[in-house]
Amino acid sequence: VDMQASIGGVPVVSPVLTASGCSAFGQELDPFFDLTSIGAVVTKSVQLRPRSGRPTPRMAETPSGMLNSIGLQGPGIDGLLAEDLPWLAQRGVRAFVSIAGTRVEDFAELAARLRGVPGVLGLEVNISCPNVESRGEVFACDPVAAADVVAAVREVADPAQPVYAKLSPDVTDIVSVAAACAEAGANGLSMINTLLGLVIDPDTMRPVLGGVTGGLSGPAIRPVALRCVWQVHQALPNVPILGMGGIRSGLDALQFVLAGASAVSVGTAVFNDPSAPARIHAELADALGERGFGRLADAIGYAHRRP
Ligand code: RRO
């Protein structure tokens, strides 16, 4: 099966990428599989300055997924440019860099700093982090605010770097946010970020996470993510979609492709299986071949077609 894929028009060797946040900057997955065999490493959202994150504990397991309230812990753009991106570039690993900020100008400045950086395939604009102090900072809840960020980033970003907007499932109408982002110049959409959740410890009778609420990921949110991909592909069939949310097998990935995703990200699955991205690539190729597809491209959005 021809697994050639594209991220916003840039060819990649595989439609399978990592998902932002779950494997930092790729280094920790390097012992487990060849990082050049996947489409790209999507890096943990970076901000202008280093940030220490929210109170611990920041991760909780549930029977069907993970809850996190990391709170954008990270090295900041200087650290990323000095250490993590050169590490990836030296090994020939493509980086899809997730950027986050609290003001429109923060996002624009990050995009400007990433212009022409070797190995940077494109930008994932994280307008949907659920773990920020003010929910007002979640640009993805408002189509106008989302479009403002996308337009500002697209204006200053390297023209060779596709810009994807990462959307939140915590909205009443994801299609209107998606349409606003596409209209503002997004080259694609990443769907979905985590879904805001809560876990209470029955022994302490208090919230498990130091930050109280957190973003739910993993199999629990897969049908929600798949529904978002379906709705947006139905409304905007020409906008590339990077699908994510609880993908842990090739058959999970296949569902996202059939719903309209042209690529997928694997996040939470790496906690149980650090080589999940490579395994899912192989399983997806097998699943496509078994169903008579000679090329990945022919399966994108297939579920929407009349039998
Ligand atoms: O760092 C986080 O707490 C975090 C981010 Br930025 C995000 O976009 N999604 C998430 O579940 N956690």
Side-chain angles (χ1 to χ4, degrees):
V1 175
D2 176 3
M3 293 291 277
Q4 175 78 41
S6 148
I7 298 295
V10 179
V12 286
V13 294
S14 165
V16 180
L17 285 64
T18 64
S20 182
C22 297
S23 44
F25 307 101
Q27 287 98 328
E28 51 203 58
L29 297 184
D30 186 52
F32 298 97
F33 67 95
D34 175 6
L35 293 171
T36 65
S37 70
I38 59 168
V41 167
V42 184
T43 54
K44 167 74 184 158
S45 294
V46 68
Q47 294 190 291
L48 286 175
R49 275 163 288 282
R51 183 153 156 158
S52 51
R54 302 205 76 183
T56 55
R58 295 171 174 169
M59 304 271 274
E61 269 188 87
T62 81
S64 53
M66 300 281 303
L67 203 66
N68 86 83
S69 61
I70 306 298
L72 276 157
Q73 180 193 12
I77 187 69
D78 293 331
L80 187 79
L81 287 168
E83 288 180 28
D84 306 294
L85 293 180
W87 187 92
L88 291 167
Q90 245 166 37
R91 286 161 180 77
V93 182
R94 319 284 286 280
F96 201 54
V97 178
S98 173
I99 58 174
T102 51
R103 306 168 312 150
V104 172
E105 306 87 77
D106 298 345
F107 286 93
E109 192 177 334
L110 288 161
R113 297 283 307 275
L114 289 158
R115 284 177 72 119
V117 174
V120 176
L121 166 71
L123 308 178
E124 183 171 79
V125 183
N126 185 2
I127 51 175
S128 51
C129 175
N131 300 320
V132 286
E133 299 304 326
S134 149
R135 294 285 291 156
E137 291 171 8
V138 180
F139 295 95
C141 293
D142 171 19
V144 175
D148 280 351
V149 176
V150 169
V153 168
R154 191 56 283 177
E155 193 181 321
V156 301
D158 192 321
Q161 295 171 352
V163 168
Y164 276 45
K166 182 146 183 188
L167 305 188
S168 171
D170 280 311
V171 294
T172 46
D173 180 12
I174 196 161
V175 171
S176 64
V177 183
C181 289
E183 179 83 4
N187 305 101
L189 301 165
S190 296
M191 288 185 288
I192 55 176
N193 208 318
T194 51
L195 186 64
L196 200 65
L198 173 69
V199 173
I200 291 177
D201 183 331
D203 295 323
T204 65
M205 300 185 287
R206 296 291 186 282
V208 169
L209 296 177
V212 181
T213 57
L216 182 63
S217 64
I221 67 165
R222 192 189 312 127
V224 176
L226 196 63
R227 179 268 297 172
C228 291
V229 170
W230 173 279
Q231 288 180 328
V232 170
H233 184 73
Q234 178 101 333
L236 308 165
N238 298 319
V239 178
I241 295 173
L242 176 57
M244 69 214 54
I247 295 174
R248 59 179 181 187
S249 72
L251 292 183
D252 295 340
L254 176 69
Q255 293 185 58
F256 279 77
V257 171
L258 298 174
S262 47
V264 296
S265 273
V266 175
T268 303
V270 302
F271 294 118
N272 277 317
D273 174 11
S275 61
R279 173 178 56 77
I280 290 168
H281 171 100
E283 291 174 355
L284 176 60
D286 287 348
L288 288 166
E290 285 162 8
R291 286 158 183 76
F293 292 107
R295 308 184 316 153
L296 164 79
D298 297 332
I300 299 168
Y302 184 90
H304 293 262
R305 290 174 218 152
R306 296 199 173 279

